[in-house]
Amino acid sequence: MKNKKKIRVLIAKPGLDGHDKGAKIVALALRDAGMEVIYSGLHQTLEQITQTAIQETVDVIGLSIMSGAHLPISEKLINMMKEQGLDDVNLTVGGVIPHRDIPKLKEMGVAEVFPGGTSFEDIITGINKLFE
Amino acid sequence: MIRLIEDSDPSAFEMLKLLYPHSGNAFIIGITGPPGVGKSTLIDALILEFRKLDIKIAVIAVDPTSPISGGAILGDRLRMQRHATDEKVFIRSMASRGQKGGLSRATKDAAIVLDAMGYEIIIIETVGAGQGEFEVATIAHSTGIINIPGTGDGIQTVKAGILETGDVFIVNKSDKPDADELVHHLTRMISMRKPFKTNLAKTNWTARVLKTIARDGTGVKELADTFLSHFDFMKKNSLLDQKRKKIEKSYFTSLLKDLILKKVLLFAETSGEYMEVLNKIQSREMDPLSAAELVVNNICVLKSNN
């Protein structure tokens, strides 16, 4: 009967990028790991993503980006999250992310980066680790 | 705040006590129906209509929790994302977390929070579990039940549950064949559910049947108007007070159940008697029915002795 605190994750697809198979599959994997996953749908503006994160009180935002624009998108979103006081929300980024960009993303304040090919296990462990 | 409620955080209980006096102004609409009939899409269209009237609106969308992993995919919201940046629209997804009927006490608690925050209309969307999940009527002032054509014959519409709780019946995807037939069945069903007394008919709301196509918004304005006129009707005929009393009673009962269960489980953890009785049940020395009676009686006696 004990209620363990559940991790709530928003999986979001920003911008014009129209491939969400990966995002949906990751959402399923997180569900099976006992998390509550909100999927935003395609073509979200960063304002929509931030507002959704507020209304849904999520612990993690998982951005899925295949368009190559991960650097500017992440930077903008982090600024917007700061403005809205979402300091306790972790931002993670997945999708088509070249390895050389990972340090840059982390420097901006992205908590974890899961480039294409990361196993579900690694994603789940990575997210769980944020709450240890 | 809603997060604290979901996690059963003790501080939420205390905060709700403070918020409760500020609630009671919102009109709460429940939307229910089987999976895939278009509940979320229709609510999205309803938001648009209510926003045209400049009504502040909140949505609580409940989706099922997996009984296996305890996780959930909350996918109702994605059909309503165009309202995400509207300041007067608040959408919150909740996982059912293993409660039957798709509506947990947490839903009611969350509705109290949103009500106290000043949202004028609160729409509660249930898990699309199908038959027997009409619990939403114990929270909502007005209940809309969505159906689509082609899901069964007339008998489906006269089964228990759906008969008693609907205030508005919606035939969505009404551009599909057989929509008129479903409307006909529902209308006939409603005409039969009334007690055959004419003096009652004047003060009783007659459930409406409406056709909609949520995707393009056909019929949605009429639907929004119908909900509002139901609210007016209830106000005028003092039905709203009756309904509120009912809702408060059922909330109180569910609180009692939760608190008593907590106490009993605490007792179970701390008392030797519980283990003793459990052992007796398992070794078949005692039947579980007398055992449950015994344990509950003991707890109640303990309390009154104190």
Side-chain angles (χ1 to χ4, degrees):
Chain A
M1 285 300 287
K2 288 251 161 62
N3 248 340
K4 207 183 112 201
K5 204 179 158 190
K6 288 228 165 95
I7 299 177
R8 280 174 74 90
V9 185
L10 169 65
I11 297 286
K13 289 288 304 180
L16 292 175
D17 160 8
H19 302 278
D20 67 347
K21 196 140 206 166
K24 282 179 183 160
I25 289 174
V26 169
L28 272 178
L30 296 181
R31 179 200 73 184
D32 291 341
M35 299 178 198
E36 290 183 357
V37 186
I38 295 122
Y39 176 52
S40 73
L42 289 168
H43 311 315
Q44 298 294 299
T45 66
L46 298 182
E47 285 84 358
Q48 280 175 312
I49 294 172
T50 318
Q51 282 310 314
T52 303
I54 294 172
Q55 295 186 356
E56 298 286 351
T57 43
V58 294
D59 306 297
V60 180
I61 299 177
L63 281 184
S64 158
I65 311 173
M66 319 279 191
S67 62
H70 45 276
L71 289 175
I73 289 178
S74 306
E75 192 170 15
K76 263 195 197 161
L77 185 61
I78 283 175
N79 288 335
M80 225 178 257
M81 285 165 68
K82 272 185 195 149
E83 271 169 37
Q84 296 288 333
L86 288 176
D87 304 317
D88 48 353
V89 177
N90 294 286
L91 178 64
T92 64
V93 180
V96 183
I97 316 286
H99 280 269
R100 61 168 189 276
D101 286 345
I102 295 178
K104 286 182 206 162
L105 286 167
K106 292 217 163 169
E107 208 172 296
M108 279 176 202
V110 174
E112 285 290 346
V113 183
F114 307 115
T118 312
S119 72
F120 291 149
E121 261 168 54
D122 287 346
I123 298 178
I124 293 161
T125 332
I127 292 181
N128 275 322
K129 256 197 189 149
L130 298 170
F131 300 95
E132 274 169 7
Chain B
M1 177 69 206
I2 294 178
R3 182 61 191 271
L4 293 173
I5 290 169
E6 285 179 310
D7 293 333
S8 314
D9 192 295
S11 68
F13 202 86
E14 295 307 315
M15 278 149 94
L16 273 172
K17 286 184 192 168
L18 298 174
L19 283 175
Y20 189 82
H22 301 284
S23 71
N25 302 314
F27 174 38
I28 301 176
I29 300 174
I31 298 283
T32 185
V37 295
K39 291 186 292 298
S40 305
T41 311
L42 191 69
I43 291 172
D44 173 64
L46 268 176
I47 297 174
L48 198 71
E49 288 302 329
F50 286 131
R51 287 302 296 131
K52 281 182 194 160
L53 306 168
D54 201 32
I55 293 172
K56 252 182 104 176
I57 183 163
V59 177
I60 303 172
V62 186
D63 261 335
T65 291
S66 153
I68 298 157
S69 69
I73 301 268
L74 307 172
D76 294 325
R77 191 194 175 93
L78 88 98
R79 320 217 183 270
M80 310 173 199
Q81 268 310 71
R82 60 174 157 165
H83 305 291
T85 53
D86 184 338
E87 279 172 18
K88 290 185 176 169
V89 179
F90 191 101
I91 302 165
R92 184 59 154 76
S93 320
M94 292 180 88
S96 62
R97 299 206 181 168
Q99 309 251 355
K100 247 198 231 150
L103 273 182
S104 41
R105 203 191 93 212
T107 317
K108 168 70 186 170
D109 291 348
I112 292 173
V113 176
L114 294 166
D115 187 344
M117 279 167 77
Y119 287 96
E120 295 156 273
I121 291 184
I122 300 170
I123 300 182
I124 299 175
E125 174 182 349
T126 69
V127 173
Q131 296 169 345
E133 65 113 347
F134 300 98
E135 232 183 275
V136 70
T138 64
I139 299 184
H141 301 124
S142 185
T143 305
I145 295 172
I146 310 186
N147 257 297
I148 47 170
T151 53
D153 63 9
I155 292 297
Q156 295 297 340
T157 61
V158 295
K159 286 183 180 169
I162 195 165
L163 189 85
E164 289 101 342
T165 58
D167 300 303
V168 181
F169 290 86
I170 302 140
V171 177
N172 193 30
K173 307 190 187 180
S174 63
D175 49 340
K176 296 249 189 304
D178 299 336
D180 288 327
E181 199 191 344
L182 181 57
V183 172
H184 171 70
H185 277 306
L186 288 168
T187 316
R188 202 170 54 185
M189 181 272 290
I190 290 163
S191 72
M192 292 196 307
R193 84 178 182 179
K194 272 273 191 55
F196 295 99
K197 284 181 189 163
T198 42
N199 57 339
L200 259 177
K202 274 178 200 157
T203 50
N204 263 356
W205 168 261
T206 310
R208 304 286 152 82
V209 184
L210 292 168
K211 285 202 283 185
T212 58
I213 306 170
R215 284 200 80 133
D216 66 10
T218 308
V220 179
K221 187 179 180 310
E222 290 76 5
L223 178 61
D225 291 344
T226 305
F227 276 124
L228 292 176
S229 71
H230 182 211
F231 193 48
D232 277 342
F233 182 86
M234 286 193 293
K235 264 193 206 158
K236 276 185 200 136
N237 296 290
S238 72
L239 291 170
L240 197 61
D241 267 351
Q242 280 177 33
K243 198 117 197 181
R244 281 203 175 121
K245 281 178 191 163
K246 252 193 195 164
I247 292 173
E248 264 147 29
K249 186 180 167 201
S250 87
Y251 182 51
F252 182 53
T253 313
S254 73
L255 278 169
L256 282 180
K257 271 188 202 156
D258 285 4
L259 292 185
I260 290 173
L261 191 64
K262 238 190 217 167
K263 280 252 185 303
V264 171
L265 290 174
L266 187 74
F267 170 79
E269 274 172 26
T270 51
S271 149
E273 193 200 358
Y274 175 83
M275 283 312 295
E276 206 178 292
V277 171
L278 186 63
N279 282 335
K280 276 191 189 163
I281 296 170
Q282 286 168 344
S283 61
R284 299 191 77 85
E285 277 172 60
M286 200 175 184
D287 69 280
L289 303 104
S290 327
E293 233 171 33
L294 182 79
V295 169
V296 170
N297 282 342
N298 279 351
I299 293 175
C300 293
V301 168
L302 272 177
K303 180 70 194 160
S304 51
N305 281 350
N306 282 344

